[in-house]
Amino acid sequence: MRRRPGIGGLQNAAAARDQYRLLGENVAKLRTDLMKEQLATFRSQLEDFARKHKNDIRKNPAFRSQFHEMCAKVGVDPLASNKGFWAELLGIGDFYYELGVQIVDICLATRPHNGGLISLEELCKLLGQRRKGTREAISQDDCLRAISKLKVLGNGFEVISLGKKKLVRSVPTELNKDHNEILELAQGQGFVTVDEVQRRLSWTSGRATDALETLLEEGLAMIDNGHKDGRSRYWFPCVSSVSSYTASDV
């Protein structure tokens, strides 16, 4: 017959549990303090690195992108404010805020043509033309970072992925799955027909027509009825490979 532990045994067991708990808490605190110390060291080294290579960070888009990746790994956001250490050292906050203003200008200028949906590649090209003569070259990564700061403006200004292509939306229009599939399909030749959408996506005529007419109404598509076969072409400037804009237009 097993004997039940006495009061003394229960007290000893409780004391042991408390000791293990305290030991665990101390170990966790030591680990946390060590991580904080390491992060502080990393951040200090990052600041030294930024001072040493500030010209490369300002002028070289690839170097700038790698620098942002380094910052993210230690929880530093140089774009969190256009004031403070990073702004004073690199002027990097001002660079992206200026880029954001130019992106807004280009999106507004091209909206009558593309309905508020422009390819990231086209946007970067127009930005490059506008900024010709400035010291800093820009990359698609720079554009994406600047656009991420435009979200404070509310609806609109977001990046949409269509396969390997990225589009920048500057209007609050919500695109559903059907709209995205049509835009992806149109990347091949810049336009689609109702028959092509039916055949390639296995949709009914009504579904294809409804989605295309919605895109037309939102200004994201243009219709071309002047063909001998009688089939309307729905053109999408945002995915067309032919650019009709120059820096003077925007």
Side-chain angles (χ1 to χ4, degrees):
M1 181 176 179
R2 295 179 60 185
R3 295 179 59 187
R4 293 183 179 179
I7 295 176
L10 291 173
Q11 290 175 337
N12 289 338
R17 284 196 299 272
D18 287 341
Q19 287 179 342
Y20 284 127
R21 179 177 56 79
L22 289 172
L23 179 62
E25 290 175 354
N26 287 334
V27 170
K29 186 177 185 302
L30 285 172
R31 287 178 176 173
T32 301
D33 290 343
L34 180 61
M35 288 180 64
K36 287 180 179 178
E37 185 178 336
Q38 288 177 335
L39 279 174
T41 301
F42 289 150
R43 287 176 180 174
S44 177
Q45 292 174 343
L46 188 63
E47 291 176 7
D48 292 339
F49 177 87
R51 287 189 183 96
K52 184 178 179 180
H53 299 283
K54 63 180 180 181
N55 287 332
D56 291 318
I57 294 171
R58 286 174 177 172
K59 296 178 182 179
N60 188 320
F63 199 93
R64 190 161 54 243
S65 177
Q66 292 173 353
F67 173 72
H68 278 294
E69 290 178 8
M70 290 169 57
C71 288
K73 289 178 180 178
V74 293
V76 171
D77 182 5
L79 304 184
S81 172
N82 61 350
K83 297 180 180 180
F85 170 79
W86 296 106
E88 292 173 7
L89 176 62
L90 302 174
I92 200 166
D94 292 335
F95 168 76
Y96 283 103
Y97 284 106
E98 178 188 348
L99 206 59
V101 170
Q102 292 172 339
I103 286 172
V104 171
D105 286 345
I106 289 173
C107 287
L108 289 175
T110 58
R111 190 176 292 175
H113 172 68
N114 57 35
L117 204 58
I118 185 172
S119 73
L120 180 63
E121 181 182 2
E122 177 79 357
L123 177 60
C124 289
K125 179 182 176 182
L126 292 172
L127 271 171
Q129 292 174 356
R130 170 175 282 205
R131 295 176 60 85
K132 189 175 293 184
T134 61
R135 290 184 304 169
E136 304 96 344
I138 58 168
S139 65
Q140 289 193 4
D141 182 76
D142 289 327
C143 290
L144 290 173
R145 293 184 189 280
I147 291 167
S148 71
K149 298 304 170 185
L150 294 176
K151 290 182 179 178
V152 297
L153 298 177
N155 289 336
F157 289 105
E158 70 169 347
V159 178
I160 301 168
S161 294
L162 291 178
K164 296 181 179 180
K165 197 179 188 74
K166 292 185 183 298
L167 303 178
V168 178
R169 189 187 72 174
S170 61
V171 290
T173 303
E174 290 292 338
L175 299 178
N176 61 30
K177 186 173 180 290
D178 283 2
H179 301 148
N180 287 337
E181 288 190 32
I182 287 175
L183 288 170
E184 191 166 358
L185 181 62
Q187 289 185 55
Q189 50 191 359
F191 70 88
V192 295
T193 65
V194 173
D195 290 344
E196 182 183 10
V197 172
Q198 286 182 255
R199 185 179 70 257
R200 296 280 297 277
L201 300 180
S202 300
W203 289 1
T204 64
S205 174
R207 180 179 179 182
T209 301
D210 181 64
L212 287 167
E213 287 299 316
T214 298
L215 290 168
L216 189 63
E217 290 171 6
E218 294 293 343
L220 300 177
M222 297 184 295
I223 193 167
D224 178 8
N225 294 317
H227 290 269
K228 293 180 180 179
D229 60 10
R231 296 175 181 173
S232 298
R233 269 71 164 168
Y234 291 83
W235 286 88
F236 297 90
C238 60
V239 297
S240 175
S241 59
V242 180
S243 173
S244 59
Y245 276 85
T246 63
S248 62
D249 295 318
V250 297

